[in-house]
Amino acid sequence: MKALQRLNVPNTLDPDDLRMRRILNIVLLALLVISLFSLASAFVYGDSILDVLKDPEAQFILFGSGAMTAVCLILIVLNRSTGIPKNVAGSILILVMTGVVAFSDHPNELANGRSLIFWLLPVMLSVVVLPPVSVFLVDLVVFGVIVLYSGSP
C-alpha cells in the first residue's frame, strides 16, 4: 500500500496544477504498464533469451520498450517534484510522443496514409496535460511535421 502512496503527487497550492499533475501521473503510469507489457511480449514466443536478443525485430521492440519505460519513470519522478514548473514533465512527454509518432512509419504514410491517425496521440495528450495555450503550439508543430512529410516521396 505504501508503494501506491509514493505514486501520489504532492499537494500544491494551485488546484489546477494539482489536477494536471495527477492526470499526467495517471497517463504516465498507463504508458509505463503498456511499455512493460510490450517489453515482456518479446519473450512470449518461447525462444531462448539469447535468440530473442539476436533477432533484429525483437531488438527494436526491446530498445523501444526499454526507452519508453525509462522515460516514463524519469517523468514520474519529475512530475512529483514541486520545484520544477508544472508544464515541464508534460512538455517532455508531448515531445517524446511526437518523436515516437514521427519515426513510427514511412513519412509518406504518416502524412497521407494509414498512419495519419497516430498524430492524434500527441494532440490529445497535450489537451490533457498542458495548459490550453500550449495545445495550439503542439497543433502547429504536428501540422508542420505533416506538411514537411507530405513533400517527401
Side-chain angles (χ1 to χ4, degrees):
M1 190 62 158
K2 287 192 176 198
L4 290 176
Q5 289 177 349
R6 288 186 189 143
L7 295 175
N8 279 341
V9 178
N11 198 1
T12 58
L13 298 176
D14 184 16
D16 190 43
D17 177 30
L18 183 61
R19 178 189 57 81
M20 285 177 37
R21 286 180 189 265
R22 284 181 178 168
I23 291 173
L24 179 60
N25 210 24
I26 292 168
V27 168
L28 288 171
L29 289 174
L31 287 174
L32 180 66
V33 168
I34 291 169
S35 298
L36 290 174
F37 276 130
S38 177
L39 194 60
S41 72
F43 299 102
V44 168
Y45 295 110
D47 295 336
S48 69
I49 294 175
L50 291 176
D51 290 339
V52 171
L53 294 175
K54 289 179 184 176
D55 184 19
E57 291 178 7
Q59 287 176 355
F60 185 70
I61 292 171
L62 291 174
F63 175 74
S65 300
M68 194 63 191
T69 301
V71 166
C72 286
L73 289 173
I74 290 169
L75 289 179
I76 287 172
V77 171
L78 283 177
N79 191 35
R80 287 189 45 82
S81 172
T82 56
I84 62 167
K86 61 183 174 184
N87 302 332
V88 172
S91 299
I92 293 171
L93 176 66
I94 299 303
L95 287 174
V96 167
M97 283 292 132
T98 304
V100 166
V101 172
F103 294 109
S104 65
D105 202 356
H106 190 272
N108 189 31
E109 296 296 333
L110 286 168
N112 302 318
R114 65 179 177 250
S115 299
L116 187 61
I117 192 71
F118 290 134
W119 289 112
L120 187 64
L121 181 65
V123 172
M124 292 300 290
L125 277 177
S126 68
V127 168
V128 176
V129 300
L130 293 177
V133 176
S134 303
V135 176
F136 294 111
L137 295 174
V138 172
D139 292 342
L140 284 174
V141 168
V142 167
F143 178 71
V145 173
I146 291 173
V147 168
L148 184 71
Y149 278 173
S150 64
S152 63

